[in-house]
Amino acid sequence: MIPYKNLGGQSNVIAYSTTSDSITVEFRDHSLYLYNYGSAGIDNITQMKALAANGSGLNSFINKIVKKNYAKKIR
C-alpha cells in the first residue's frame, strides 16, 4: 500500500494501491475496499487514481460520487 499524502489534513483515507483496472483504499478505521471498473466505472476509477496520486480529494470523491459502488470489502 502507498501512504496517502492527505494534503488537506482531514481525509479518512490513509493508504491505497492500484492495478490497471482497480484501486484499493484503506481508511482510518483500517477498513479496506476494492473499487474496480465493474463496480464504479472506468471514469471514476481513473479519477480516483489521479486523486490518490495527488494526495487530495479522494475521500470526498468517494463520499460524493462513488459512494457504496465498491466491488468488495476486504476488511
Side-chain angles (χ1 to χ4, degrees), residues 54-73:
N54 290 335
S56 182
L58 180 56
N59 191 71
S60 293
F61 187 81
I62 291 169
N63 288 336
K64 292 176 184 174
I65 306 297
V66 178
K67 301 180 183 176
K68 303 236 182 238
N69 292 327
Y70 54 86
K72 180 178 170 182
K73 181 177 181 182

Side-chain angles (χ1 to χ4, degrees), residues 10-59:
Q10 298 180 4
S11 182
N12 285 322
V13 175
I14 61 169
Y16 69 95
S17 64
T18 63
T19 67
S20 61
D21 66 349
S22 72
I23 182 169
T24 301
V25 180
E26 182 176 5
F27 294 92
R28 210 173 274 185
D29 66 358
H30 299 290
S31 60
L32 204 60
Y33 289 85
L34 170 68
Y35 302 87
N36 62 25
Y37 288 172
S39 69
I42 188 170
D43 292 338
N44 287 336
I45 297 301
T46 301
Q47 182 66 23
M48 290 170 73
K49 287 179 180 182
L51 293 168
N54 290 335
S56 182
L58 180 56
N59 191 71

